[in-house]
Amino acid sequence: MPEKFGVYIPEDLRREIERYMKTLGFRSKSRLIQEALRLFIVEHKWQVSGEVAGVIGVVYNHDVGDVDKELTDVQHKYIDEIISTVHVHLDKERCMLTIIVRGSTERIRELIRQIEGLRGILTLRSMLLSAK
Ligand code: NI
């Protein structure tokens, strides 16, 4: 059974959504919300799945403490989950690591938490999908 419900949307979000609807050719707000909810599920499905695969992107400042060594140490702890890593030197101080992973949700979550906890990390973004 489909369900109908009211949604509260603040003014600024409403304006932005209407602008996107016009540009993207969405006629109905219901369709837009359905698509947003489906994306939400894809985005979060890995969190409730037993096994995930994907990419963790990290930008960090290599001048801060021992961040380079610490990042290497963390990666060696997750040797079974890390498939490959690409290091890109962005500028004089900043480096970007792209870590390709596959493993249990629990282990990948731990890995992300450990990287996030290191001093010198500027940004961490992950794109993980359910591997089951
Ligand atoms: Ni570098």
Side-chain angles (χ1 to χ4, degrees):
M1 268 276 270
E3 190 187 348
K4 196 170 180 176
F5 59 96
V7 181
Y8 171 81
I9 295 174
E11 171 76 20
D12 55 337
L13 186 58
R14 181 184 63 79
R15 275 207 209 128
E16 205 168 2
I17 282 171
E18 281 169 0
R19 194 159 52 86
Y20 277 103
M21 283 180 74
K22 232 182 234 165
T23 316
L24 301 172
F26 272 93
R27 293 242 175 88
S28 104
K29 281 192 179 136
S30 288
R31 282 289 310 277
L32 179 94
I33 286 168
Q34 285 163 27
E35 183 155 323
L37 291 174
R38 286 198 183 97
L39 278 175
F40 176 89
I41 290 168
V42 169
E43 183 78 19
H44 295 278
K45 196 179 172 194
W46 73 273
Q47 305 246 20
V48 295
S49 156
E51 200 186 332
V52 297
V55 179
I56 302 168
V58 186
V59 176
Y60 66 98
N61 182 337
H62 76 191
D63 279 342
V64 175
D66 281 332
V67 67
D68 257 315
K69 186 191 173 298
E70 285 163 355
L71 272 169
T72 304
D73 289 346
V74 171
Q75 290 180 78
H76 279 266
K77 275 203 256 171
Y78 293 87
I79 203 161
D80 291 331
E81 286 78 20
I82 295 175
I83 294 166
S84 177
T85 304
V86 177
H87 183 126
V88 180
H89 312 297
L90 293 177
D91 53 36
K92 266 193 157 178
E93 302 90 32
R94 292 180 316 135
C95 301
M96 181 177 75
L97 270 190
T98 304
I99 307 168
I100 301 173
V101 295
R102 178 174 194 153
S104 77
T105 306
E106 205 41 54
R107 289 278 292 171
I108 303 298
R109 234 193 238 137
E110 261 174 43
L111 169 63
I112 291 172
R113 240 182 277 129
Q114 293 204 12
I115 295 173
E116 275 173 342
L118 298 177
R119 246 169 42 84
I121 303 297
L122 302 170
T123 314
L124 185 150
R125 285 279 177 280
S126 57
M127 195 198 74
L128 296 162
L129 299 169
S130 166
K132 274 201 173 151

